Amino acid sequence: MQVNVFKIPQQGPDDVCGLAELVEQGRIDPASIVAILGKTEGNGCVNDFTRGFAVQSLQQYLAEKIGITAARRIIYVMSGGTEGVLSPHLTVFTREPAQSAISPRWGLVLGTHHTRDFLPEEIGSLDMVHTVADGVKAAIAEAGLEPEHVHFVQIKCPLVTAHRTVTANPSAESAASVLSDSYKSMAYSRGASALGVAIALGEVAPDHITAETVCRDYEIYSRVASTSAGVELRNCEILVLGNAPTSTSAYVIGHSVMQHALDTQAIHRAIAQVEQPVDQIVNIFAKAEADPSGYILNRRHTMLDDSDISHTRMARAVVGAVVASVIQDPMVYVSGGSEHQGPPGGGPVAVIARRVDLRS
């Protein structure tokens, strides 16, 4: 396959002008779009409707080009929160058949999957973990990837609103943990989805994960999972990215794991993996979390004690500034809440770059 990646600035959640311009120029065939990741400027919490607004705007524009059914098949992952220097933008992934004139080479490939819808009481449950694991495996197979060559798995997952709890079964597994707190349900949804990735990639054995593991045993995690919860969907949308020798893409991906929010060395390791100059980086994708221990580099932090601003918002601002400072570009994708995504207080970081030795 041939995968292309485009990063497009946005002036607001409903701004599709940049995408439309690339379509009009013939640089993007809208029928080839398989996934769009976005950073929107809301609060990133339960009531962040900029995510749904952005998806609605994109679907409306693309439906006019390729039809509503095709537009809805695209993976939309809108991550709310552009605190600090983070700049709103879209990252558009296209996939087309390999061109016969281009020889296969080591490069970027991708796979996608939509799971079934989840009931409110299933959020954070083992059923969710294993359903996501099956979905990730399906996406890996679609991409033609080996698990060890997967560098990033991005998932958009649902949450539980107060309205949805009316139809929930309060005696079901995990219900007591998530049904009483919409914000907590975001963490459980992210955590269960990340554990599904860990199972799919063989990072942890399925029998090592129980219902009590989710959002409790943070020593169990995936090194490549990035999950983001939102009110705008009820299923999980999965995007798997990695490198394969069958690619004809001009792009490559690498990753590392940040041990804490200030871990610039991990960012440099991820950049080193792609073996390309910094000016060839298309985007960096990272997770952010306020260390649950209350300390960072043996110094006390107060992010978890602030009742005015969510700790996920503070963490995004910190990691966003750290990543942006390394590549001198604030238009990076940093998502808050890294339950079971990297070690406590840290998280995966992935880099996509264009190969300078290729013109196609």
Side-chain angles (χ1 to χ4, degrees), residues 95-336:
R95 180 177 59 190
E96 299 175 281
Q99 298 181 19
S100 58
I102 302 176
S103 300
R105 61 223 175 187
W106 190 255
L108 182 66
V109 295
L110 64 80
T112 63
H113 183 80
H114 294 77
T115 71
R116 63 171 176 83
D117 286 358
F118 293 100
L119 297 170
E121 60 268 24
E122 290 182 301
I123 302 300
S125 71
L126 280 180
D127 282 344
M128 186 178 193
V129 171
H130 292 296
T131 300
V132 169
D134 290 342
V136 173
K137 290 177 182 178
I140 291 172
E142 182 189 84
L145 272 166
E146 297 296 330
E148 61 268 27
H149 296 147
V150 173
H151 286 278
F152 198 62
V153 180
Q154 177 65 62
I155 298 177
K156 190 67 186 183
C157 50
L159 55 83
V160 180
T161 61
H163 174 72
R164 291 195 68 202
T165 61
V166 175
T167 61
N169 176 4
S171 63
E173 174 195 339
S174 88
S177 300
V178 302
L179 294 180
S180 61
D181 189 330
S182 294
Y183 190 65
K184 181 182 291 186
S185 77
M186 298 182 76
Y188 274 78
S189 187
R190 291 190 300 255
S193 298
L195 290 172
V197 176
I199 289 177
L201 294 179
E203 295 175 292
V204 60
D207 58 1
H208 286 177
I209 295 178
T210 67
E212 288 69 37
T213 304
V214 184
C215 290
R216 292 184 180 90
D217 187 355
Y218 290 118
E219 296 306 313
I220 297 178
Y221 58 81
S222 170
R223 297 176 60 84
V224 297
S226 173
T227 64
S228 176
V231 72
E232 65 271 18
L233 78 175
R234 296 192 177 187
N235 67 326
C236 283
E237 298 192 354
I238 301 168
L239 172 65
V240 172
L241 299 167
N243 295 316
T246 54
S247 173
T248 58
S249 174
Y251 301 86
V252 288
I253 185 170
H255 83 279
S256 186
V257 180
M258 297 178 71
Q259 298 300 311
H260 52 79
L262 302 177
D263 188 1
T264 57
Q265 292 305 308
I267 301 169
H268 286 291
R269 287 195 298 270
I271 294 172
Q273 274 198 7
V274 298
E275 299 181 329
Q276 305 302 317
V278 171
D279 62 4
Q280 293 300 303
I281 292 174
V282 178
N283 211 346
I284 291 185
F285 308 86
K287 290 299 297 187
E289 178 179 68
D291 196 307
S293 71
Y295 285 80
I296 180 170
L297 296 175
N298 298 317
R299 302 293 190 184
R300 187 172 72 91
H301 71 75
T302 63
M303 287 185 279
L304 297 170
D305 301 320
D306 195 317
S307 300
D308 296 318
I309 303 174
S310 167
H311 58 87
T312 56
R313 305 192 70 184
M314 292 186 180
R316 271 193 301 271
V318 172
V319 176
V322 170
V323 174
S325 70
V326 171
I327 64 169
Q328 291 296 287
D329 184 357
M331 199 179 294
V332 291
Y333 182 98
V334 177
S335 171

Side-chain angles (χ1 to χ4, degrees), residues 49-114:
F49 298 106
T50 66
R51 297 178 302 228
F53 188 24
V55 172
Q56 180 186 54
S57 301
L58 289 164
Q59 284 187 340
Q60 182 175 348
Y61 167 74
L62 290 169
E64 296 173 355
K65 300 294 182 182
I66 59 177
I68 186 61
T69 300
R72 287 177 175 171
R73 281 200 294 264
I74 294 170
I75 298 288
Y76 298 95
V77 181
M78 298 298 124
S79 173
T82 50
E83 296 82 4
V85 299
L86 288 172
S87 183
H89 67 282
L90 301 173
T91 305
V92 178
F93 293 85
T94 65
R95 180 177 59 190
E96 299 175 281
Q99 298 181 19
S100 58
I102 302 176
S103 300
R105 61 223 175 187
W106 190 255
L108 182 66
V109 295
L110 64 80
T112 63
H113 183 80
H114 294 77

Side-chain angles (χ1 to χ4, degrees), residues 23-48:
V23 170
E24 291 166 5
Q25 292 173 352
R27 295 180 60 192
I28 292 181
D29 175 1
S32 71
I33 297 173
V34 291
I36 302 177
L37 275 60
K39 282 304 302 180
T40 64
E41 54 212 77
N43 60 23
C45 299
V46 176
N47 64 335
D48 182 354

